[in-house]
Every structure is written in C-alpha cells, then in structure tokens.
C-alpha cells in the first residue's frame, strides 16, 4: 500500500444493548487530507468487525463482517478501492497471513476450528478441529521443507493436546504428522525463528522441550533447582533464547535466563525482574530490548524490597545502574550519587498500537532512547518525568516534567511529543536534534483527547495523523500534520557526523568497536530510505567480560565461574567413547553473537580432551513423560541416562517387569527412548542395568499400568442378621490387580474405610435400613455404587423360579430386575396378607430368571420373639402353599402370563444369629437332604432344580440332580445347579456379548450384573 493511502474502520457501540450496531470504512489517497466513505461499495447495511492488510503485498486487504449480523469476508486487491464479498460457513475470530505468499491465509473460527485459503479468502478448507487459540503458525522459510506447512496445537478426542503439522490444503488424518510423539500442555506450543518450544505434562514439575532448526526435541536444561512454576519465551531473534522463568519461591518477579545457540542449556542473566499486570490481566515483564544496538537490554530488578533500573551492553553478562542527569530542566544541579541514587525507568510496552508506551527506541535511530521515569533510590510512579538519551544510555537529559507519548518521524530525524490520552491538549512538541531542543506547536483550536497517532515508520515522508475526540460524546476527529516543508532537501554526506558506541567509555561492545552515522543537530534535511546507520565495525581482542558462565557454573564474588553444588563437570563426557575426544567446558562460554577474537579466547573456550574410560555411574531410569502411570495397551517410553561412564561401550539391559526384556550394546540405541506396550494392568518393577568391563550400575522404577474403570457393582446381601459378620464386595470392570483404591462408607458412617482389596467384612449392630456406598478410583476415573441393606435379628427367605417364557423378555439389566421384583411382590401380596413393608424380592442377574423372597419380622416385637417367629412360619407356609399350587402369577405384557414357583423342597429354616443355626449344622443338614434327594432322583423322577438355599455351603464340583416339590407340575423349568453362573462368570459372559456387539475398546467392559447373595 502506498504511504498516501490510509484506511480507517470506525464502529458505533451501543452501550444499552452491549454490541456494535453500525460501522463505517473510510479511505484516503492523499495522506489523510480527505476521506471517502466506502460503505456503498461494501454494502450500506454491512457491519464490519476487523480489517487486515497482507504483510507481503499491502495492496491486498481483507475485511471481516461482524458475526452477530453475518459471516462474510470482503477482499480487495487495489488498496481498498473496490471489494468482492464472499459468504463463509463459519465465524472468523482471527486471521493469520503467510509471511511471503500473499494469497495464503489461516482463519480461526469461534468454535476452535482452523481453516486455510490459498486464493486470498475466496475459498476456505477445514484443516483441523479443536485447535488451541493463537497456537497455530505458518512455516518458517529455510527451516520447513514445505512452504505451506502449518504448525498447530490440537486437542484429541480424549481431551489431551498434541503438536501437529500438516500442509494447508492436505490435512486429513492420514496427512498429519506429530513431530513430538507424546502429549503436551495446553497453550505451550511456540514456533519462533529457529526454535519450537513445548511443555510436557509431568508429575508436579513442568518439563520443557526445544527443537532447534527442526531437529529432534531435546529437554531444556535450566539450573537443577530452578523448579519453574512458569516460563515465557521473551525473544529468539539473536541466535539464542531469552526466557523468563518464575521459580518456586517467586510471586511477582521472574528470573531472566539466556540459552546457548541451540536453546538447550540456560544460564542465569538476572534475578527478580519485576512484572507489571497489563490491562488484559497478563503479567508483563519489565524488560526492554533496545532497538538498533545488539546485546543492549534495560530491566527493572527487585532488590531488598526496592525496584531499580539496570542496563547491560553484553546480553546480561554485566549490569549497572543508570546514571541520573546532572541537572534538571531549569539547569539546577541534581545531587544523585550511585549506587544510592540513580535514574529509574518505566518499561511497559503499550498494548495500544497507536500509543508509544513508556519507553521508545527505533532500529533506524540507534542510541536514542526516550522513556518515562524518576530519579531516586527506587522506581516510583509519582513525580515522574520524561528523559532522553542520545548515546545509548550512557548519559540522560530531562525533557519534560510529566509523562508524554513520543513518536519517531523521518527514521528518527524528528521526535514528536504529545500528552497522554487522558489529558486534552492543543499542543505538540517537536525536536530535530535527538531531543536536545523542543519547539511547541498548536495543532487544534480546541483541546483534543489524542487517542493515537497513525505513523508509517518506514516512509520517507514527514506526515502523521492524530485521531481523538473533543469530549466523550463527540465524533472522531482526524488531524493531519505535515512537516515536509521543514525539510527542504535530502541529507548529503556533509550533513552527517560519526558517533562511537561505548559503555561508560569502553569502546568495545559485544566484541567490536561500532561507529554510526548521525545527522548533525540543526541540519534540517531528510534522511531518506537509503540512510545507512553503521559506518564501520571492528573486532576487539577478547577479554573476560566477553564470556559468561557456562551451564552448571555460577559466578562467585571474585568474578570467576565455579561449578554449582549440584553440577558434575564430568557429565559432559558421558556420551563419549574411549578412543575419542570431547569438548570439556572451562566453566565459560562466549556471549552469543559476540565478535571478539584472540585474546583470552583460547583460555576460556571449551577444550578438546580424550574421553575417560570409567565404570558406569549415576544410571537414571525414567519415563518419557515423567509419569509413573500408563494405560494398558499404550506405548510407554523409557529413558535411560548415564551420568558417568563410556556410553558407547556400556551394555544396557532393561527388564520391563512383565516377563519381557531388552538389551542394547550401548546408550546410543536408547537416546530417543525405549518403547514398550503393557497388555495387562498391574504394578511392574522396571529395572535398568548398565554394565561395562570396569563395573555396573542399576536403576529401578515401579510403573502403575492401569485401565480406567468403566463399571463398579456393589455385591452385598439384601438382608443380614444383626451382629453377624457379612462380606461386601465391589466388582470392577475391567478387572485390575493392585491398581484400584476402594473407599467404603458403611453403616451410615461419615468417614470412609480405604482399602486396596475389593472386599470387606462388616458387622451391623443396629436393626433397620443401612446405606452402604463404595467409590472406586482407577487411573483417572472414579466410579460409585450404593446399596441399602435391611438388618434384622432373624428372617426367612424362599428361592423363586419362573415359567420359561419370562426368560424371553429378560434383557438382564438392573432396571428390568427392579421392575419385575415389584411386580412379583404385588403378586405375592394377592395370596398373602403379610405386611407389604416386611416383604422384599430380589431378582438375580442372568438367565434362567430366578429370585429370592425375604420375609422380615415386624420392627415392633413387643409380643416377643417366639410370636414373631410363629408369624414368619405361618406366612411362609401360606406363600409356599400358594406357590406350589401355581396361584402366584403376573402378566408381563398382554398375552404373556408368568407363573412363580417355589424352588425349595421344604420350608426354609429361620435365619438368625443363634448358635443352633451354625454353619456346620446347616452343612450337615444340607448334606443329608442332598443325599436323600439324589437317591430319590436317580430311581424315580430324575428332574432338575434351578436353585438351592443360599445359606448352605454345597460342593459344585459335580452336577447334582434334584426334584421340586410335589404338585409343582410339568411346567416347572428344569435347571441344573451348574447352569447358574458365578458372579465372575456372569461378568465375563456379558463382556463377551459386548465385544461381539462391537461395543467398547480393549479396556472397556460391560455392565456388571446386579448380583446379590446372603
């Protein structure tokens, strides 16, 4: 786009309804002197939301409509003179243009979908669903093989996050790649210059990985005990990484770290850098990178509860305070003695792109720094003024006694100052000598709230446009300011003078002497686009301040770098093999991009040494994601690291603990991790053994392999006897060994009983209804089941069976069993006058259908136990008689009548806690009955019985044949004891059925039958 073309989008916001109601697009072709309203060319009723200009071709413009009205995109290829409108099937939240291809763009929708277009928005193709906001990037030229490659952070169906790449127009599931094999933390993907950063979820401690020039990901190495709570990438544009790390003991400060060229090994540059909370609530680091001068940073550091401003000229190797100006604006001396008093600057960048912020520099104006600050013992936001430095921070001058916005014109040839937007003004101030002198000019007859300034920083013109408002209810006001008449000509060689960059008189900065050209103060000529900044750069002899401490080393009070207490200097040789050599650090490394030569370079740089031959020591075994848990059937990556020893001549053996093992001739085979899949759940002892002719070392971890529980079923009796121990079991599917935790709430207790076993014994001491609940914790799932148990001093029960037609309608689910139980109870009440609340019916899972009837005594036993027992006997006799006469029946559905039978041969004995009903006596009685019935069966009827009294212990190793009661008739279903599966068999049967139906995965199971026994 030509400098004289300006586009402005204005929107009318209705505070009563809380939304935008109309918009206007304005276009100027004469540097803002006149504007044309473009609404007729885009649609008079069209409401616009955002305007985008293609960075690689500023003639191309894309405008989005407000999604509350419609979803469309308007495109222009002639600097906004005409538009074409295209409807969209999605609502665009943001756009990202390709840095070099003018027709390529990415669109992020409100429902987290990412779309791509290769014809400048005319057609869009869905790339991926569930992409993290602001975590998608175009390829970087020279690094990614495909120019249309897109990096993105995408969510998986199970809720995890992955780093995914694919090409813009071919991004189906089969076309996608996953450069990092595991899951990553949300909003952690950063693709910037030569680097890609991710954060990996870990157990209590964050782990960060970096890929340099698209190589394999390597774990970032911070000092061992930095223990970061948060990490932000500050910059990557100078062949190394600046990272801000908030450590475990910090709340409102961050530590600044600098990496090596590959971005792997980080060393401390400054501690306790202050942060400021931005308008949007984000923490902003008080660190400013000075434009135009490599290695120069300004930071605010919190020290002894005071915040002070420091400056460095060698990327944080050395810091010093800022020297305050010698005089104030009136020429009075300022008595400010270092280190007790210094100049402190506010370092907040503006979140409004049309406002300068509290500090400003330009790469086209090296050495000029304009900032808001104060003079004193610490940084203060009271009594602030505006200061300028023309020599890269060596000396400062006050220019205003208040905070002003400063803009650069003509590549820094002119400075313009205007009051803050909160203060209306009619004046501006201009300086043509790097802030040395300022002249005041009036730009409006009425005071204006200046909300921002439009400046084309790269243009060789001297025009700027102010926009603001006279009052909070007034229309927008645009004021064009043109200084072209001030500059009558372009600058020539005679208009420049040389300026030597220095640090307090030291001419060598970043290992070289740099000489810049600057316009002579008072020469009113235009710099122009061919203005050259650096005249010459000569390398210096290397000295100590050109080197910083290497990773694992710390600078001591004498200025020397010594190993930290946690660092083993010999660890660098662990990947080294006998007969080879390696670079052994001296504790120093040259500041990245420092251009010094010779001098002490050979003394401080790493030295090549022969690899030592040592036994293995410090073997460390870990998982790739740092977790000690894994799901059944998934790949588990094991990492084996050796602190000392010949890694190329050390044999590694890894026992996975499940009967399989792997052996490697050296560590090089396991650098990217050893993968293994566990097929069963359990706790596995994983052992690594490193061995060479000089010795051995081992390391062990215990891995919990789990499968998320799908169903839990509480197996408990419906009725129990008071003061008699009862077993309660929780059946979990899929079944797991030693990896499930059970939480039991028994007998209306408020605190749970916690066990690793799925079965507990409990004694109920009070009669009544008791609620029992179990929660099961397995992997990341927690499931719960509850039951209500009736507790009595004694009771009777009968086993029931049904005519075969009931099985045809039995879906074998808990709800059906509950409903049928209520129907059976109603049928029994029709043949008995026993109180309804004293009858309980429990239908068993599985087929053939069977049930148990419980007869409970009255809670009011004032007439004595004997009377209650007599009532139970009479009631059970009446019910058994009705059952034997086929008088108990119910209608399941029209035309389907079901007969209820008594399964037991005789009346069931009374169940209580008295000694006469001991288990041994019960077993003896049952054995005698079984023997007699077996003889009777063999010689006469040879008919089968569907159930037995569940209070007796029987041997089910051999199938038994028995006969039902006389008068039962031929319609009684014939069932053997072996046809009734155990609870486990019922569960396995249901699992097989679900697998055949295609339901679930390897870890998933089916509903557990509602099986209950006493």
């Amino acid at each position: 786009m030509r400098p004289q073309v300006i586009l402005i989008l204005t929107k009318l916001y209705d505070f009563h309804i809380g939304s935008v109601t109309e918009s206007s697009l304005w276009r100027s072709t004469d540097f803002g002197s006149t504007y044309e309203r473009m609404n007729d060319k885009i649609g008079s009723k069209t409401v616009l939301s955002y305007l985008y200009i293609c960075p690689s071709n500023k003639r191309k413009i894309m405008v989005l409509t407000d999604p509350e009205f419609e979803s469309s995109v308007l495109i222009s290829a002639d600097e906004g003179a005409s538009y074409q409108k295209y409807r969209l099937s999605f609502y665009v939240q943001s756009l990202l243009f390709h840095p070099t291809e003018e027709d390529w763009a990415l669109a992020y929708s409100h429902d987290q979908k990412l779309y791509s277009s290769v014809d400048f928005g005319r057609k869009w193709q869905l790339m991926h669903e569930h992409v993290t906001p602001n975590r998608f990037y175009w390829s970087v030229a020279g690094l990614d093989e495909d120019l249309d490659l897109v990096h993105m952070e995408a969510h998986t169906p199970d809720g995890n996050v992955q780093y995914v790449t694919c090409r813009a127009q071919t991004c189906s599931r089969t076309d996608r790649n996953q450069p990092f094999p595991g899951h990553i933390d949300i909003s952690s993907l950063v693709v910037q210059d030569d680097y890609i950063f991710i954060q990996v979820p870990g157990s209590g401690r964050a782990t960060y990985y970096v890929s340099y020039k698209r190589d394999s990901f390597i774990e970032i190495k911070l000092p061992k005990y930095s223990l970061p709570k948060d990490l932000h990438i500050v910059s990557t544009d100078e062949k190394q990484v600046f990272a801000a790390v908030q450590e475990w003991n910090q709340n409102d400060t961050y530590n600044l770290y600098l990496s090596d060229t590959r971005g792997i090994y980080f060393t401390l540059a400054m501690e306790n850098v202050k942060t400021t909370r931005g308008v949007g609530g984000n923490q902003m680091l008080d660190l400013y990178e000075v434009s135009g001068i490599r290695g120069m940073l300004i930071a605010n550091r919190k020290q002894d509860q005071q915040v002070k401003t420091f400056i460095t000229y060698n990327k944080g190797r050395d810091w010093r305070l800022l020297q305050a100006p010698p005089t104030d604006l009136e020429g009075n001396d300022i008595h400010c003695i270092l280190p007790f008093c210094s100049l402190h600057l506010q370092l907040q960048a503006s979140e409004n792109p049309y406002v300068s912020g509290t500090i400003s520099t330009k790469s086209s104006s090296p050495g000029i720094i304009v900032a808001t600050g104060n003079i004193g013992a610490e940084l203060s936001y009271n009594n602030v003024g505006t200061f300028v430095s023309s020599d890269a921070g060596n000396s400062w001058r006050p220019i205003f006694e208040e905070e002003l916005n400063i803009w650069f014109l003509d590549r820094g040839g002119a400075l313009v100052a205007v009051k803050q937007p909160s203060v209306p003004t009619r004046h501006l101030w201009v300086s043509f000598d790097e802030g040395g002198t300022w002249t005041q000019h009036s730009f409006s007859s009425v005071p204006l709230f200046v909300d921002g300034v439009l400046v084309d920083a790269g243009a060789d013109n001297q025009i700027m446009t102010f926009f603001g408002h006279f009052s909070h209810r007034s229309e927008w006001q645009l004021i064009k300011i043109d200084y072209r008449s001030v500059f009558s000509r372009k600058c020539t060689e005679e208009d420049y003078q040389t300026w030597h960059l220095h640090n307090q008189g030291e001419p060598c900065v970043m290992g070289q002497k740099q000489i810049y050209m600057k316009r002579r103060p008072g020469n009113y000529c235009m710099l122009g686009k061919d203005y050259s900044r650096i005249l010459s750069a000569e390398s210096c002899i290397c000295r100590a301040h050109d080197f910083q401490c290497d990773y694992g080393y710390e600078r001591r009070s004498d200025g020397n770098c010594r190993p930290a207490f946690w660092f083993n200097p010999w660890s660098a040789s662990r990947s080294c093999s006998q007969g080879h050599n390696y670079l052994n650090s001296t504790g120093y490394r040259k500041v990245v991009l420092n251009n010094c030569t010779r001098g002490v370079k050979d003394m401080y740089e790493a030295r090549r040494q022969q690899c030592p031959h040592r036994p293995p020591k410090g073997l460390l075994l870990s998982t790739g994601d740092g977790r000690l848990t894994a799901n059944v059937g998934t790949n588990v990556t094991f990492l084996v690291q050796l602190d000392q020893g010949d890694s190329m001549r050390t044999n590694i053996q890894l026992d996975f603990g499940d009967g399989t093992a792997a052996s490697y001739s050296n560590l090089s085979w396991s650098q990217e991790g050893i993968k293994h899949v566990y097929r069963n759940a359990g706790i596995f002892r994983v052992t690594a053994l490193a061995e060479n002719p000089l010795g051995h070392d081992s390391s062990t971890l215990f891995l919990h392999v789990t499968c998320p529980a799908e169903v839990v079923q509480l197996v408990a009796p419906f009725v129990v006897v008071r003061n008699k121990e009862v077993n309660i079991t929780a059946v979990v599917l899929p079944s797991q060994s030693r990896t499930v935790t059970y939480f039991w709430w028994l007998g209306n207790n408020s605190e749970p009983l916690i066990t690793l076993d799925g079965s507990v014994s409990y004694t109920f001491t009070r009669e009544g209804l008791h609620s029992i609940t179990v929660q099961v914790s397995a992997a990341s799932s927690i499931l719960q089941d509850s039951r209500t148990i009736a507790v009595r001093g004694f009771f009777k029960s009968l086993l029931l069976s049904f005519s075969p037609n009931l099985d045809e309608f039995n879906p074998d689910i808990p709800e059906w069993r509950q409903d049928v139980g209520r129907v059976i109870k109603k049928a029994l009440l029709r043949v008995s006058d026993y109180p309804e609340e004293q009858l309980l019916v429990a239908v068993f899972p599985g087929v053939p259908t069977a049930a148990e009837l419980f007869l409970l005594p009255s809670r009011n036993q004032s007439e004595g136990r004997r009377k209650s027992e007599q009532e139970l006997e009479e009631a059970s006799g009446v019910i058994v008689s009705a059952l034997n006469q086929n008088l108990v029946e119910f209608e399941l559905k029209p035309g389907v009548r079901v007969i209820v039978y008594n399964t037991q041969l005789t009346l069931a004995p009374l169940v209580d806690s008295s000694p006469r009903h001991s288990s041994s006596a019960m077993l003896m009685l049952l054995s005698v009955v079984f023997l007699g019935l077996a003889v009777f069966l063999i010689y006469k009827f040879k008919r089968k019985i569907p159930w037995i009294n569940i209070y007796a212990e029987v041997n089910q190793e051999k199938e038994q044949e028995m006969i039902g009661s006389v008068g039962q008739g031929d319609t009684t279903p014939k069932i053997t004891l072996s046809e009734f599966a155990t609870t486990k068999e019922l569960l396995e049967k249901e699992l097989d059925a679900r697998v055949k139906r295609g339901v679930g995965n390897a870890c998933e199971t089916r509903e557990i039958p509602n099986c209950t026994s006493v």
Side-chain angles (χ1 to χ4, degrees):
M1 183 178 291
R2 293 167 295 165
Q4 60 266 33
V5 177
I6 300 175
L7 291 172
I8 297 179
L9 174 63
T10 61
K11 293 181 279 187
L12 179 62
Y13 185 85
D14 191 329
F15 288 94
H16 296 289
I17 63 176
S19 65
V20 175
T21 57
E22 61 180 89
S23 66
S24 295
L25 182 63
W26 305 86
R27 182 174 185 263
S28 172
T29 59
D30 53 6
F31 295 104
S33 296
T34 60
Y35 284 88
E36 177 188 1
R37 193 167 185 259
M38 306 295 293
N39 285 36
D40 291 339
K41 296 185 179 181
I42 62 174
S44 58
K45 295 184 179 180
T46 301
V47 180
L48 305 178
S49 59
Y50 292 102
L51 184 151
Y52 294 88
I53 298 177
C54 177
S56 58
N57 183 358
K58 293 189 177 182
R59 293 181 57 86
K60 291 192 171 183
I61 300 164
M62 197 175 292
V63 187
L64 301 178
T65 59
D66 193 318
E68 292 189 10
F69 296 89
E70 63 174 309
S71 180
S72 299
V73 59
L74 295 96
I75 62 176
S76 172
D78 53 7
E79 298 180 319
S82 62
Y83 293 89
Q84 293 175 297
K85 190 174 184 178
Y86 295 90
R87 293 281 183 178
L88 299 177
S89 60
F90 57 95
Y91 296 106
V92 179
Q93 181 172 315
S94 63
L95 285 176
L96 180 64
F97 288 103
H98 193 278
T100 59
E101 296 296 320
E102 59 188 56
D103 289 335
W104 296 1
L106 299 176
Y108 186 76
S109 67
H110 283 73
D111 54 355
Q112 297 188 332
K113 296 179 181 178
L114 188 65
Y115 297 82
S116 66
S117 173
V118 293
D119 56 5
F120 202 69
R122 293 173 177 83
K123 296 179 183 178
W124 296 89
Q125 179 174 320
L126 176 64
M127 292 187 62
H128 205 296
E129 298 180 344
H130 305 299
V131 176
T132 305
N134 302 317
R135 298 296 169 177
F136 49 91
Y137 309 85
W138 278 111
S139 62
V140 178
L143 295 175
D144 295 302
E145 293 183 1
D146 299 313
L147 196 61
D148 62 343
L149 189 73
V150 178
H151 307 261
M152 69 187 82
E153 183 180 291
H155 297 244
T156 62
D158 58 0
N160 291 307
V161 180
Q162 293 178 333
Y163 165 35
V164 177
T165 62
C166 64
R167 302 185 68 175
Q169 294 293 296
T170 54
C171 197
S172 64
R173 292 185 182 275
T174 56
D175 297 319
R176 297 169 187 168
N177 294 315
Q178 192 176 345
F180 185 79
H183 297 139
I184 67 174
D185 281 329
I186 188 170
S187 297
S188 69
L189 175 65
V190 176
V191 180
Q192 198 166 302
D193 297 321
D194 293 341
Y195 307 91
I196 300 177
F197 305 93
I198 57 172
Q199 179 178 328
V200 175
S203 52
R205 184 186 300 183
T207 306
Y208 304 91
Y209 286 80
V210 62
S211 168
Y212 177 63
K213 291 188 174 181
R214 306 307 186 256
D215 286 341
S216 300
F217 279 91
I218 300 177
E219 183 179 350
I220 287 177
K221 299 296 184 181
L222 291 166
K224 186 174 183 179
Y225 295 107
S226 65
L227 307 180
K229 294 190 297 185
D230 191 20
L231 183 147
H232 293 283
I233 303 302
V234 178
S235 70
T236 57
D237 55 357
E238 292 193 346
K239 302 301 181 182
Q240 70 176 152
V241 181
F242 285 72
V245 178
Q246 187 172 57
E247 303 190 9
W248 63 274
N249 57 348
Q250 294 177 308
N251 294 315
D252 58 350
T253 61
Y254 280 71
N255 288 349
L256 179 64
Y257 286 89
L258 284 84
S259 75
D260 60 349
T261 302
R262 296 182 299 161
I264 300 173
Y265 293 98
F266 283 77
T267 58
L268 182 64
M270 173 174 273
E271 290 183 303
N272 296 318
V273 179
K274 175 182 173 294
T275 58
T276 304
R277 188 169 296 277
V279 177
N282 298 324
Q283 291 278 32
M284 303 176 67
L285 196 69
D286 273 24
L287 175 72
Y288 187 81
E289 194 169 354
V290 178
S291 301
I293 300 180
R294 182 177 294 172
M296 185 174 174
L297 302 163
I298 303 176
N300 285 329
R301 179 185 180 186
K302 190 174 184 180
Q303 183 177 359
D304 299 328
Q305 301 304 314
Q306 291 183 326
V307 177
K308 299 175 182 289
T309 301
F310 292 81
I311 190 170
T312 179
Y313 294 84
N314 53 7
K315 286 194 171 184
R317 197 286 191 190
D318 301 292
W319 297 86
R320 64 170 175 82
L321 296 168
L322 298 181
Q323 178 66 58
T327 59
D328 59 18
L329 284 174
E330 285 75 30
N332 301 316
D333 291 339
I334 297 177
H335 301 284
C336 184
I337 307 301
L338 293 173
F340 310 103
C341 174
S342 60
L343 175 64
H344 308 285
L345 304 180
Q346 298 178 22
L347 304 178
Q348 289 82 46
S350 174
E351 297 185 34
N352 180 353
Y354 305 109
V355 177
S356 64
T358 59
I359 184 169
S360 298
T361 59
K362 288 290 181 183
S363 59
S364 59
S365 308
I368 302 178
I369 308 172
V370 184
T372 301
N374 68 284
I375 299 172
E378 62 177 327
L379 178 67
S380 173
Y381 294 91
N382 300 317
N383 300 320
V384 299
T386 305
F387 300 84
V388 64
S389 173
S390 299
D391 56 2
N394 285 282
S395 63
W396 295 83
R397 303 186 307 274
I399 53 177
F400 297 102
E401 291 182 339
E402 59 183 326
E403 179 183 355
L404 277 80
N405 283 316
I406 308 292
W407 288 275
F408 289 71
L409 284 182
D410 187 34
R411 305 181 184 275
L415 300 177
V416 178
V418 180
K419 288 191 176 183
Q420 292 292 308
S422 59
V423 181
T425 182
R426 295 186 296 112
H427 304 289
L428 58 82
W429 290 263
V430 182
S431 173
F432 297 100
D433 57 359
E434 300 180 348
T437 58
W438 295 80
T439 57
Q440 178 178 297
H441 301 269
S442 296
F443 63 85
S444 174
S445 59
V446 179
L448 179 73
F449 291 91
V450 179
D451 295 304
V453 176
L454 299 177
V455 180
D456 190 344
D460 55 352
N461 63 77
Q462 294 73 39
I463 297 176
M464 59 195 309
T465 302
F466 286 70
F467 64 91
H469 55 279
F470 292 128
S471 68
H472 293 293
R473 295 183 178 272
S474 69
E475 299 290 336
W476 282 106
Q477 304 296 321
L478 297 177
I479 299 176
K480 173 184 173 182
I481 301 175
D482 190 346
Y483 285 100
R484 283 180 294 182
S485 60
V486 176
F487 304 101
S488 59
R489 58 185 177 83
K490 285 190 175 182
C491 294
T492 62
E493 188 173 344
E494 290 76 19
D495 293 305
Y496 295 102
Q497 65 181 9
T498 59
W499 171 68
H500 295 255
L501 174 64
H502 65 94
N503 175 14
Q504 297 290 286
E506 170 56 55
C508 289
V509 177
M510 290 293 290
Q512 62 182 2
K513 298 177 182 178
Q514 302 176 48
I515 303 176
Y516 293 82
M517 288 194 309
K518 285 190 174 186
R519 190 178 59 185
R520 296 181 186 274
N523 287 20
Y524 293 94
C525 60
M526 188 166 55
L527 296 178
K529 63 176 64 176
D530 57 349
Y531 166 56
S532 178
R533 299 184 301 275
I534 300 180
L535 181 62
S536 66
E538 177 186 349
S539 296
C540 299
I541 299 299
C542 290
R543 291 182 289 175
H545 63 252
D546 295 312
F547 293 82
Q548 60 186 174
C549 291
D550 203 353
Y551 175 78
Y553 291 80
E554 297 174 338
R555 192 173 301 279
R556 302 300 170 85
S557 57
D558 59 2
N560 294 319
C561 297
R562 297 283 186 264
F565 74 94
W566 50 266
F567 182 68
N568 178 13
W570 292 102
S571 61
S573 64
R574 63 188 176 195
S575 60
C576 188
S577 180
Q578 186 180 12
H580 296 81
N581 50 48
Y582 73 103
L583 289 175
N584 186 25
S585 175
T586 62
Y588 301 86
R589 70 183 185 197
K590 193 164 76 168
V591 175
V592 175
L593 296 184
N594 185 294
N595 291 322
C596 73
T597 59
R598 302 188 306 276
V600 298
K601 182 178 179 181
D602 293 339
M603 181 188 305
Y604 284 110
E605 284 192 335
R607 300 165 185 170
R608 193 164 297 278
Q609 296 183 355
Q610 289 291 322
C611 297
H613 189 40
R614 297 191 300 268
K617 186 178 181 181
L619 184 67
L620 177 63
L621 175 64
S622 62
T623 58
D625 57 6
R627 297 181 178 180
L628 296 178
T629 62
N631 288 333
V632 170
T634 60
N635 261 322
V636 182
T637 301
F638 293 98
L639 301 178
V640 181
Q641 295 176 323
L642 189 62
D643 191 41
Q644 295 183 26
D646 187 347
S647 62
M648 299 302 296
R649 296 174 181 267
T650 299
N651 177 266
I652 301 296
Q653 299 178 31
L654 189 60
D655 186 344
F656 299 108
D658 61 349
T660 60
S663 180
Y664 299 87
S665 59
N666 55 61
L667 268 178
S668 64
W669 291 93
S670 59
Q671 287 181 352
E672 295 186 1
I674 303 170
K675 300 184 184 300
H676 183 67
V677 176
Y678 288 88
R679 300 300 180 186
N680 299 305
I683 302 177
F684 298 92
R685 180 190 180 103
V686 186
T687 304
L689 175 66
E691 193 172 21
N692 68 18
L694 297 179
H696 66 273
D697 195 12
S698 63
S699 179
T700 300
L701 64 80
F702 294 90
L703 184 70
H704 292 240
V705 179
T706 62
C707 194
E710 180 185 309
V711 181
V712 59
Q713 178 68 54
L714 190 58
V715 181
F718 286 91
V719 185
V720 300
V721 177
R722 184 186 70 246
N723 295 326
K724 194 170 186 179
E725 189 175 72
V726 61
N727 289 328
I728 303 171
T729 301
V731 181
V732 178
L733 289 180
S735 60
Q736 304 186 39
S737 172
R738 300 179 298 166
T739 59
V740 179
T741 304
Y742 300 84
F743 301 84
W744 308 86
W745 284 267
L746 305 169
N748 301 321
N749 292 333
S750 59
E751 293 296 326
L753 171 68
I754 303 175
T755 68
L756 296 177
D757 190 5
S759 181
V760 295
S761 297
Y762 190 76
T763 301
F764 294 90
T765 59
R766 294 184 298 106
E767 292 192 15
L769 295 179
H770 293 262
S771 175
I772 60 174
T773 299
V774 63
Q775 281 188 347
V776 172
S777 175
S780 58
S781 61
I782 296 181
L783 302 177
Q784 174 177 306
D785 193 18
S786 299
R787 288 287 182 273
T788 299
I789 294 180
V791 179
R792 292 290 189 270
F794 55 93
F795 64 89
K796 290 182 68 69
S797 74
L798 300 171
L799 295 176
L800 307 176
S801 58
F802 307 91
S803 53
N805 58 348
L806 181 60
D807 295 339
E808 300 175 10
F809 303 95
N810 184 354
D812 199 19
I813 60 175
E815 295 86 346
W816 184 89
R817 292 192 286 270
Q818 293 174 5
D819 291 336
V820 169
R822 286 192 293 267
V823 174
I824 297 171
K825 184 175 180 179
K826 290 179 181 179
L828 291 169
L829 290 174
R830 288 197 294 267
V831 300
S832 171
D833 59 355
Y834 202 68
E836 179 181 356
E837 64 274 9
Q838 294 174 230
L839 283 181
L840 292 178
V841 176
V843 180
F844 296 105
V847 289
T849 310
E852 185 169 11
L853 169 66
F854 296 93
L855 291 86
L856 308 181
S858 172
R859 294 291 302 276
N860 183 12
Q861 300 182 16
S862 57
E863 298 181 0
R865 171 168 174 153
R866 184 176 296 277
K867 178 67 174 176
S868 297
E869 290 180 358
Q870 183 178 353
E871 292 176 352
L872 285 180
E873 295 289 346
E874 292 175 355
S876 62
V878 170
I879 292 175
V880 168
S881 176
L883 291 171
N884 290 338
Q885 299 177 53
N886 296 341
L887 298 179
V888 182
E889 62 178 8
F890 61 89
E891 188 176 48
L892 186 68
K893 58 186 299 185
V896 179
R897 301 198 64 81
V898 178
I899 301 175
V900 185
Y901 303 109
N902 174 27
T903 303
Q904 295 171 249
L905 301 179
T906 61
L907 291 180
L910 185 73
V911 179
D912 63 3
S913 56
S914 61
R916 69 175 185 273
H917 295 299
S918 65
S919 59
S920 58
M922 292 283 290
L923 180 60
M924 182 180 296
L925 175 62
L926 188 61
S927 300
V928 173
V929 172
F930 276 8
L931 180 60
L933 290 176
V935 174
F936 184 66
L937 173 67
I938 293 173
Y939 288 99
K940 191 173 178 71
F941 297 98
K942 294 186 180 181
R943 296 178 63 186
K944 300 179 181 179
I945 181 172
W947 206 263
I948 61 169
N949 190 331
I950 53 178
Y951 303 111
E953 297 182 5
V954 296
N955 185 354
Q956 297 187 14
E957 293 179 359
K958 185 176 181 179
E959 183 178 299
Q960 303 182 31
E961 295 185 347
M962 312 186 87
I963 185 170
S965 302
V966 176
Q968 190 164 295
D970 293 337
T971 59
T972 302
K974 301 179 180 180
I975 309 170
T976 63
L977 286 176
S978 60
E979 289 178 307
F980 282 88
T982 64
T983 299
K984 182 177 180 181
E985 290 170 342
L986 288 170
L987 299 182
E988 293 175 348
K989 179 181 178 182
E990 177 66 20
L991 176 59
D992 293 339
R994 284 193 59 165
V995 172
K996 291 178 181 179
R997 294 195 301 266
V999 179
N1001 55 35
C1003 284
E1004 292 178 340
T1005 57
R1006 68 291 178 209
E1007 173 216 2
I1008 298 182
N1010 188 7
C1011 183
T1012 307
S1013 60
V1014 177

